[in-house]
Amino acid sequence: QVQLVESGGGLVQAGGSLRLSCAASGRTFSSVAMGWFRQAPGKERDFVAAINWSGSNTDYADSVKGRFTISRNNAKNTAYLQMNSLKPEDTAVYYCAVRWSSDYRLTPGEYDRWGQGTQVTVSS
């Protein structure tokens, strides 16, 4: 079983930056796709970014393109989400997820294991 632990969330002013980390353990990390999703209060869990097993392919929600960057370090079993130029509407709980496939998908239902989430709050 893969265990995922997110970290790096917090409170930041609009325009600031945060880097989220997702540490995986328990299974071969380098062969699976990873995704980041977020959920604001009263809203559904939305896709943010995804990366394939090698890091050669990535995808982003339109709302974060040009501001967020997803990456991974398979040697460290860790995925990252660099978030720049943060806006108040980015406020949410951010979750990382793993998909038992080398290729990613954009919908939460196609991911197999989730972390516990980390809160990101952007003040105006």
Side-chain angles (χ1 to χ4, degrees):
Q1 294 283 4
V2 169
Q3 305 295 325
L4 302 176
V5 179
E6 299 101 333
S7 62
L11 174 64
V12 64
Q13 288 188 333
S17 298
L18 286 172
R19 188 176 82 154
L20 306 183
S21 298
C22 174
S25 62
R27 181 172 165 167
T28 302
F29 174 80
S30 59
S31 62
V32 299
M34 301 291 296
W36 285 97
F37 295 80
R38 65 188 182 187
Q39 189 167 19
K43 296 189 176 181
E44 295 184 348
R45 190 168 298 189
D46 292 330
F47 169 73
V48 175
I51 189 167
N52 72 335
W53 70 277
S54 67
S56 61
N57 290 324
T58 59
D59 208 340
Y60 298 91
D62 288 343
S63 59
V64 307
K65 279 181 182 176
R67 300 188 298 123
F68 291 11
T69 302
I70 188 172
S71 62
R72 64 191 298 161
N73 184 329
N74 287 343
K76 295 185 176 180
N77 283 359
T78 303
Y80 304 96
L81 185 68
Q82 178 67 44
M83 306 186 295
N84 299 328
S85 302
L86 282 161
K87 305 175 181 180
E89 51 263 45
D90 294 317
T91 295
V93 177
Y94 283 70
Y95 299 89
C96 69
V98 65
R99 184 170 186 269
W100 304 143
S101 170
S102 57
D103 295 320
Y104 58 77
R105 294 291 185 270
L106 308 187
T107 55
E110 298 198 73
Y111 285 76
D112 300 292
R113 179 71 62 183
W114 293 81
Q116 83 288 351
T118 185
Q119 177 70 47
V120 171
T121 303
V122 184
S123 63
S124 57

